[in-house]
Amino acid sequence: MREIKFRAWDAIGRNMFQINSLRTEYSNESDLRFAVDGVRFPIMQYIGLKDKNGKEIYEGDIWIGKYYCGNNPQELKAICVMKWDDAHAQFYWEDIIFGMPDFIKPEVVGNIYENPELLKPVSKEAER
């Protein structure tokens, strides 16, 4: 049985916290918002898997993973963000579909709220 868990980002206090209760609030038919203790925060769901170090993986997490491209034995590194796809009702890693069999277990290195700098492209000059 998969655990259903959520966490939220407090943009004002600048910290991540676990959610113990969740309720929905409708302002109109097309607008569904989540409220935590009466205050609105971005909500992230636990995907039911852990990274290679045993850390729970949530929507919005940034991870580094390694995979093999086809039959090519060259190991490639990928930096990806965990996202949800409404159209297919599944979690996925950026453009890579969740559950791809040739992935080596990823390592969570941050999330989009606390570590947005991890998503910025690195210039060639900065690498030198």
Side-chain angles (χ1 to χ4, degrees):
M1 183 172 166
R2 185 169 67 95
E3 282 186 277
I4 308 287
K5 294 180 175 182
F6 295 92
R7 70 179 184 193
W9 171 248
D10 178 356
I12 296 168
R14 308 218 28 92
N15 67 320
M16 194 71 69
F17 62 93
Q18 290 299 125
I19 297 174
N20 296 324
S21 64
L22 187 69
R23 68 182 172 87
T24 59
E25 191 178 285
Y26 295 91
S27 61
N28 64 47
E29 285 182 8
S30 64
D31 183 23
L32 172 63
R33 293 178 292 183
F34 291 99
V36 180
D37 298 329
V39 182
R40 290 179 186 92
F41 296 92
I43 306 292
M44 292 147 276
Q45 184 177 358
Y46 172 50
I47 70 162
L49 297 175
K50 295 180 180 178
D51 77 354
K52 70 179 191 176
N53 300 315
K55 184 174 182 175
E56 294 177 341
I57 303 173
Y58 282 81
E59 187 177 2
D61 278 346
I62 300 169
W63 61 266
I64 296 175
K66 297 176 184 176
Y67 63 98
Y68 295 94
C69 188
N71 293 327
N72 185 348
Q74 181 183 0
E75 200 172 82
L76 304 171
K77 289 185 181 178
I79 298 175
C80 299
V81 176
M82 192 76 230
K83 295 185 178 181
W84 175 257
D85 179 1
D86 282 331
H88 297 98
Q90 67 183 9
F91 287 104
Y92 69 100
W93 318 103
E94 286 282 326
D95 295 336
I96 302 158
I97 299 299
F98 175 92
M100 190 171 172
D102 55 352
F103 250 101
I104 296 172
K105 216 162 191 184
E107 177 178 10
V108 174
V109 293
N111 63 68
I112 61 174
Y113 298 102
E114 294 172 301
N115 314 98
E117 72 279 358
L118 294 174
L119 298 175
K120 293 180 183 172
V122 177
S123 71
K124 295 286 183 192
E125 291 155 12
E127 290 178 352
R128 293 179 190 172

